[in-house]
């Protein structure tokens, strides 16, 4: 009899459990969703996933629900649809009276100020065969469109503006939420040992959740096996060297490698910030096959994304390349946290001022922006104000501001680049992006561990990148990126001087051909940098030096081989093979047409200006020259031709021959001196493409009986000794300096 009662109890408890995940139609709305009403979206929910495995085992079903909760946490911004937050909880079986919202923020609070964050707590009791357990949900909102919390995001250091083990802006928020969690547990008489915890958030909310979970793991009341922590687009939070130890394996950080936010604060050189727990990276164009991404991954994900934002998803398609370059750029300018807080050039103050301009803080902020009264799921959404007539709306659309017209012009000039970039920078970080990926694919498809590598080429060179089929996907001229030739999946950037960074996915093979049409070998350095799937810097190889010239070019393998390489695979090529590669890559730029202006000054005080028209090999010269102290006496027109040869590196040699036609104004009468043959030999230094600084020697030829007056009248003075070529010809030299651009 006793056994029968026990068996019946177990049977009833078992039957009360869902036998499989139930698809529930949740109302999805968040920071960027564009529908007038929340978007009904079916998502599986199975509460028995809690406890089925310890939290150190990734659970995609729970991660999806966590991402949904992070999405609706933003709904305080759209007050009319705040009911969808409560509806989401109740559809999961939570009672309304067990939901607690902390959205009544006052940023003028003397203790916490901007270091606050909206969050919600909820609970649900569930019956298991071995007893009752309580699921406690803690959802932390990301940064809203307010300057206050954005400023807190950039508050990295302590009161002395020094780097600290924990990000101070996130830490202060996590302390407040931890206290609220303890109060909630006491209020509802929940024993941590008899509860499962789901802690989640996106962006700022993710960072706070990450820190909070790490701190709770040190509290013996909490069993980390029962703490299910899933964060999305998590910024770095700590310099703790043990952040990736097994004690934090219950924390799962899900990131999009194209997203900049998970890479800040920085993790490179003296910046050593990272996250607690483990990181999983969503698939992108660089860590899965490009064809599969285009034909399988993108279409499936985009179905969800289009339903959320009413437009197509816009990825950069270059993996973690942009976040990596942002990190490299910032580290060069702000090598330490102290410099980041600098008074004059510091980034912290500039960023704070920028967000204050973008989102001004009203005197009433904290009251008007707070949402103390929650909308019940039974209540109807608030009525909207009537929309203006269609004619009025169309009239407004026709009128564009000056800024909008400038953007339209730039879009037309760049083929829509401005619109693309604005959408891509939103999409890389939007929680709707993360939710779409999570819903579209299962765990075995949505993540990738494949990293990437970059090739740093520094010096004076021409280069082309060939794919495995021999197609040119990128070109470089005079150490300068020809951006119009860059084709995904290749990416490239030039942050300083003659240093070019070429980014490769690690699942495709490429060949980089480097050459220089110089007489003397030009030194170029090649170096590999390697990154994990999330774009975290792993290390770099030693620099390798090559010396290319007219007879020799180099092939460097890129892509797959770089990820595990300790040195670049470099092959020297010459003869017909070199000629063939140079031709295929269109790397012989000596015959490219250009117009190059010039300004110069001679040692005898004469100024000149004009242009060179043609190619590097052969160009025509047209200059006007005069002495400012004698400009009423003469005018000199110069016409001729020349050639420019690359000696080595940035050093160029010009040889030019021309005629100087000189008009001498004597007592109001124009007198034409037939001509003065001239030769100019100059060395030019090209620190950047086109721009040249040159110094040269000009030889004006005096021929007896033909151009005596040009020399006798002091138009061309003999400051330096003449060079004689017989009885009737001598060369009068002078030194000339100038710039070409």
């Amino acid at each position: 009899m006793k056994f029968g009662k026990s068996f019946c109890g177990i049977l009833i408890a078992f039957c009360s459990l869902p036998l499989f995940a139930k698809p529930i139609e949740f109302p999805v709305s968040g920071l960027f969703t564009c529908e007038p009403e929340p978007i009904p979206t079916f998502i599986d929910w199975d509460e028995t996933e809690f406890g089925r495995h310890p939290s150190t085992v990734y659970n995609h079903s729970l991660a999806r629900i966590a991402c949904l909760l992070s999405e609706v946490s933003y709904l305080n911004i759209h007050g009319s649809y705040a009911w969808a937050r409560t509806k989401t909880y109740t559809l999961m079986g939570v009672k309304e009276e067990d939901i607690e919202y902390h959205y009544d923020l006052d940023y003028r609070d003397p203790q916490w100020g901007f270091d606050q964050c909206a969050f919600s707590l909820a609970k649900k009791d569930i019956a298991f065969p071995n007893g009752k357990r309580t699921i406690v949900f803690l959802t932390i909102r990301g940064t809203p469109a307010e300057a206050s919390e954005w400023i807190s995001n950039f508050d990295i250091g302590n009161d002395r503006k020094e780097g600290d083990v924990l990000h101070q802006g996130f830490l202060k928020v996590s302390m407040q939420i931890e206290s609220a969690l303890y109060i909630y547990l006491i209020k509802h008489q929940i024993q941590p040992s008899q509860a499962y915890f789901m802690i989640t958030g996106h962006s700022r909310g993710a960072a706070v959740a990450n820190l909070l979970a790490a701190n709770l793991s040190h509290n013996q009341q909490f069993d980390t096996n029962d703490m299910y922590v899933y964060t999305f687009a998590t910024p770095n939070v700590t310099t703790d060297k043990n952040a990736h130890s097994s004690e934090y394996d219950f924390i799962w950080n899900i990131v999009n490698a194209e997203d900049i936010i998970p890479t800040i604060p920085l993790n490179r050189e003296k910046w050593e910030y990272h996250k607690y727990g483990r990181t999983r990276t969503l698939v992108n164009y660089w860590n899965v096959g490009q064809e599969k991404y285009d034909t399988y991954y993108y279409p499936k994900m985009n179905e969800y994304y289009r339903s959320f934002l009413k437009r197509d998803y816009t990825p950069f398609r270059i993996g973690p390349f942009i976040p990596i370059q942002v990190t490299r750029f910032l580290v060069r300018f702000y090598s330490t946290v102290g410099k980041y807080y600098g008074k004059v050039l510091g980034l912290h103050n500039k960023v704070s001022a920028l967000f204050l301009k973008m989102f001004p803080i009203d005197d009433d902020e904290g009251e008007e922006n707070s949402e103390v009264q929650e909308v019940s799921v039974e209540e109807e959404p608030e009525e909207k104000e009537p929309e203006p007539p269609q004619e009025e709306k169309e009239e407004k659309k026709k009128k564009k501001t000056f800024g909008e017209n400038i953007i339209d012009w730039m879009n037309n000039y760049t083929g829509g680049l401005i619109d693309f970039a604005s959408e891509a920078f939103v999409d890389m970080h939007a929680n709707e992006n993360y939710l779409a990926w999570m819903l579209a694919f299962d765990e075995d498809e949505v993540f990738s561990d494949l990293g990437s590598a970059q090739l740093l080429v520094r010096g004076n060179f021409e280069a082309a990148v060939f794919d495995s089929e021999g197609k040119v996907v990128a070109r470089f001229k005079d150490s300068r990126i020809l951006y119009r030739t860059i084709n995904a999946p290749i990416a490239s950037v030039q942050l300083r001087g003659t240093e070019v960074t070429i980014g490769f996915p690690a699942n495709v093979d490429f060949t980089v051909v480097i050459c220089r049409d110089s007489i003397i070998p030009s030194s170029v350095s090649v170096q590999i940098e390697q990154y994990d799937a999330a774009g975290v810097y792993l290390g770099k190889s030693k620099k390798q030096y090559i010396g290319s010239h007219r007879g020799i070019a180099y092939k460097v393998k890129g892509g797959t081989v770089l990820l595990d390489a300790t040195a670049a695979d470099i092959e020297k090529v010459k003869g017909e093979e070199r000629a063939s590669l140079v031709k295929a890559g269109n790397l012989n730029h000596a015959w490219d047409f250009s117009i190059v202006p010039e300004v110069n000054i001679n040692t005898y005080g004469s100024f000149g200006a004009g242009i060179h028209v043609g190619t590097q090999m052969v160009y025509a010269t047209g200059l006007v020259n005069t002495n400012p102290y004698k400009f009423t006496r003469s005018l000199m027109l110069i016409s001729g031709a020349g050639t420019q040869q690359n000696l080595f590196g940035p050093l160029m040699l010009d040889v030019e021959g021309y005629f100087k036609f000189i008009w001498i104004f004597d007592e109001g009468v124009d007198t034409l001196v037939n001509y003065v043959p001239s030769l100019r030999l100059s060395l030019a230094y090209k620190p950047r493409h086109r721009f040249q600084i040159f110094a040269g020697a000009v030889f004006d030829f005096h021929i007896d009986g033909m151009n005596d007056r040009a020399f006798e009248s002091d138009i061309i003075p003999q400051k330096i000794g003449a060079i004689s070529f017989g009885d009737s010809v001598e060369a009068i030299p002078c030194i000339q300096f100038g710039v070409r651009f």
Side-chain angles (χ1 to χ4, degrees):
M1 189 73 179
K2 191 173 182 181
F3 170 78
K5 287 183 179 179
S6 299
F7 177 77
C8 289
I10 294 172
L11 182 63
I12 292 170
F14 178 78
C15 292
S16 67
L17 299 177
L19 296 179
F20 50 83
K22 297 183 295 184
I24 298 175
E25 190 177 62
F26 288 98
V28 175
S29 187
L31 186 61
F32 294 107
T33 46
C34 298
E35 275 291 272
E37 297 288 340
I39 298 97
T41 306
F42 281 97
I43 303 175
D44 289 344
W45 166 240
D46 184 359
E47 61 193 20
T48 64
E49 292 289 345
F50 290 95
R52 183 170 295 172
H53 299 287
S55 59
T56 52
V57 177
Y58 176 83
N59 188 309
H60 197 57
S61 177
L62 293 182
R64 284 170 167 166
I65 291 297
C67 197
L68 170 66
L69 292 173
S70 297
E71 173 72 5
V72 297
S73 70
Y74 283 100
L75 282 174
N76 71 303
I77 297 172
H78 308 299
S80 299
Y81 312 121
W83 58 269
R85 267 199 327 244
T86 303
K87 183 73 172 177
T88 299
Y89 276 131
T90 58
L91 286 171
M92 295 165 61
V94 176
K95 298 177 181 178
E96 282 192 59
E97 58 266 28
D98 292 331
I99 305 173
E100 186 175 291
Y101 292 106
H102 294 259
Y103 277 67
D104 52 337
L105 306 180
D106 182 2
Y107 299 118
R108 299 167 300 177
D109 182 273
Q111 181 178 3
W112 301 112
F114 294 163
D115 298 318
Q116 300 184 65
C117 202
F119 62 97
S120 62
L121 286 157
K123 78 173 186 71
K124 180 187 180 184
D125 296 327
I126 56 176
F128 282 94
N130 58 351
K132 186 191 79 169
R133 297 292 291 261
T134 301
I135 304 174
V136 177
F137 300 93
L138 172 53
T139 306
I140 306 170
R141 185 191 66 185
T143 315
E146 298 169 0
S148 49
E149 293 187 33
W150 275 107
I151 292 174
S152 177
N153 289 342
F154 289 92
D155 187 15
I156 299 171
N158 55 30
D159 294 337
R160 297 185 300 277
K161 309 303 181 187
E162 299 171 342
D164 215 330
V165 175
L166 302 176
H167 184 296
Q168 294 301 292
F170 300 149
L171 175 63
K172 293 173 183 177
V173 178
S174 70
M175 293 166 60
Q176 299 167 60
I177 297 179
E178 184 175 357
S179 297
L181 173 62
Y182 291 146
I183 294 171
Y184 184 86
L185 295 178
I186 294 171
K187 176 182 176 181
H188 292 275
Q189 299 180 348
I190 301 171
Q191 294 293 329
S193 60
Q194 296 299 312
Y196 297 117
F197 294 86
M198 172 173 275
I199 303 175
T200 188
H202 168 259
S203 191
R204 174 178 172 84
V208 175
N210 186 280
L211 270 180
L212 174 63
N215 192 51
L216 290 176
S217 70
H218 302 148
N219 188 326
Q220 294 183 353
Q221 295 183 71
F222 294 86
D223 185 350
T224 57
N225 287 315
D226 297 332
M227 293 173 61
Y228 297 82
V229 183
Y230 294 94
T231 69
F232 304 89
T234 321
N236 293 322
V237 300
T238 182
T239 59
D240 184 355
K241 294 182 179 179
N242 295 319
H244 300 306
S245 67
S246 58
E247 63 178 307
Y248 303 114
D249 277 354
F250 68 99
I251 302 175
W252 297 93
N253 305 296
I254 296 169
V255 303
N256 169 24
E258 294 189 346
D259 189 354
I260 294 172
I261 302 303
T263 66
I264 54 177
L266 310 178
N267 184 346
R268 185 158 181 167
E269 297 179 19
K270 293 183 179 179
W271 291 77
E272 299 178 342
Y273 285 87
H274 35 251
K275 320 176 212 308
Y276 285 103
R278 292 185 277 184
T279 297
R280 304 208 70 177
T281 306
L282 297 171
V283 293
N284 60 60
Y285 203 66
W286 268 21
N287 59 27
V288 295
Q290 282 76 53
E291 183 178 353
K292 189 174 183 180
Y293 182 91
D294 285 331
T295 59
Y296 176 68
Y297 279 106
Y298 180 84
K300 287 190 67 175
M301 179 272 189
N302 197 42
E303 287 181 16
Y304 283 98
Y305 201 75
R306 193 187 298 115
S307 71
F308 297 151
L309 268 70
K310 298 306 168 189
R311 65 170 175 81
D312 290 334
Y313 174 54
T314 308
F316 285 109
R317 295 178 184 265
I318 49 176
F321 187 79
I322 291 177
I324 288 169
Q325 304 316 314
V326 170
T327 296
R328 292 177 68 221
F329 176 80
L330 291 176
V331 164
R332 285 177 179 174
F333 281 90
Y334 307 101
S335 58
T336 64
V337 175
K339 290 186 177 180
Y340 165 79
Y341 276 103
K343 292 183 179 180
V344 179
L345 300 176
L347 184 62
H348 177 268
N349 293 339
K350 292 181 179 180
V351 169
S352 299
L354 174 63
F355 279 103
L356 285 170
K357 288 182 179 179
M358 293 172 61
F359 309 112
I361 298 178
D362 299 329
D363 292 337
D364 297 328
E365 185 172 333
E367 296 178 0
E368 291 183 2
N369 292 334
S370 67
E371 193 179 315
V372 180
Q373 298 297 324
E374 294 299 325
V375 182
S376 171
V377 293
E378 285 80 14
E379 294 183 57
E380 292 293 328
E382 297 175 7
E383 292 186 7
K384 300 178 185 178
E385 294 183 6
E387 293 189 359
Q390 186 66 24
E391 296 80 6
E392 184 179 335
K393 290 168 67 177
E394 290 179 358
E395 183 65 25
K396 287 183 178 179
K397 287 182 180 178
K398 292 178 183 177
K399 297 178 180 178
K400 292 186 177 182
T401 65
F402 176 75
E404 289 173 332
N405 288 324
I406 291 294
I407 290 174
D408 286 344
W409 176 83
M410 293 177 67
N411 272 318
N412 291 332
Y413 181 76
T414 61
L417 179 61
I418 304 303
D419 284 345
F420 167 81
S422 62
E423 290 183 358
F425 274 106
V426 168
D427 293 357
M428 72 177 186
H429 185 61
N431 194 64
E432 289 83 356
N433 169 11
Y434 287 84
L435 184 58
W437 282 113
M438 298 296 289
L439 296 180
F441 302 98
D442 293 328
E443 175 192 356
D444 59 347
E445 289 185 311
V446 75
F447 301 117
S448 175
D449 295 325
L450 191 62
S452 62
Q454 298 181 8
L455 202 64
L456 274 63
V457 184
R458 187 182 294 107
N460 296 94
F461 62 92
E462 277 77 44
V465 181
F466 296 86
D467 64 15
S468 57
E469 297 178 354
K471 179 183 176 182
V472 177
V473 291
R475 288 175 58 228
F476 307 85
K477 175 184 178 182
D478 279 338
S479 311
R480 181 179 63 98
I481 304 168
L482 301 179
Y483 283 101
R484 291 181 180 272
T485 69
I486 304 295
N487 293 283
I490 293 299
S492 188
V493 70
Q494 191 161 10
L495 296 180
R496 63 179 181 182
T498 59
E499 178 183 292
V500 169
T501 301
I502 310 172
F504 302 91
N507 57 354
V508 185
D509 291 321
F510 297 91
T511 300
V512 184
V513 174
I514 301 173
C515 66
R516 185 67 168 173
D517 192 23
S518 60
I519 298 171
I520 303 172
S522 299
S523 178
V524 176
S525 68
V526 177
Q527 191 173 29
I528 303 170
E529 287 189 347
Q530 295 158 333
Y531 300 85
D532 70 9
V536 176
Y537 176 68
L538 299 177
K540 59 185 176 182
S541 68
K542 292 183 178 180
K543 289 182 181 179
Q544 296 166 262
Y545 290 89
I546 57 178
S548 181
H549 58 82
R550 289 182 177 178
I552 294 177
Y554 292 86
K555 291 195 298 185
V556 183
K557 290 185 178 180
T560 306
V561 70
L562 295 182
L563 192 58
D564 299 317
T566 57
D569 186 345
I570 302 173
E571 178 186 350
K572 183 187 296 185
V573 293
K574 53 186 177 180
E576 291 185 4
E577 184 180 6
R578 178 194 182 278
S580 176
L581 288 171
V582 169
K583 181 178 179 180
N586 192 18
L587 298 179
N588 188 357
H589 304 297
W591 294 99
D592 290 351
F593 179 82
S594 63
I595 299 176
V596 181
E598 175 186 316
V599 177
N600 63 57
I601 182 174
N602 292 332
T603 50
Y604 54 79
S606 181
F607 286 88
I611 59 172
H612 302 273
V613 180
T615 68
Q616 181 179 312
M617 291 299 294
V618 179
Y619 58 82
T621 299
L623 299 169
V624 178
N625 194 285
T626 187
N627 191 315
Y629 299 104
K630 305 173 183 178
F631 71 93
T632 58
R633 292 187 55 201
S634 67
L635 177 65
M636 188 182 300
L637 297 182
I638 303 172
S639 177
T643 182
Q644 185 177 68
Q645 302 294 318
N646 180 231
L647 286 179
F648 64 89
L651 200 61
M652 316 296 289
L653 172 65
D654 283 83
V655 180
E656 299 164 274
Y658 41 71
F659 297 106
K660 294 181 177 179
F661 298 90
I662 304 174
W663 279 264
I664 299 176
F665 309 118
D666 189 6
E667 298 179 357
V669 178
D670 292 355
T671 303
L672 173 63
V673 176
N674 291 333
Y675 55 83
V676 175
S678 295
L679 174 68
R680 180 167 69 172
L681 303 176
S682 60
L683 288 176
Y685 174 73
K686 295 177 67 174
R688 287 185 178 273
H689 177 69
R690 290 182 64 91
F691 183 78
Q692 305 173 38
I693 304 170
F694 71 88
V698 179
F699 300 90
D700 293 316
F701 289 89
H702 177 199
I703 303 173
D704 287 344
M706 185 176 69
N707 53 21
D708 298 331
R709 192 167 181 188
F711 297 90
E712 293 173 358
S713 61
D714 204 33
I715 301 302
I716 302 178
Q718 298 187 37
K719 298 287 186 180
I720 305 175
I723 302 172
S724 179
F725 294 92
D727 295 334
S728 60
V729 179
E730 62 180 358
I732 309 301
C734 73
I735 305 299
Q736 190 176 77
F737 304 94
V739 295
R740 304 184 184 109
F741 49 92

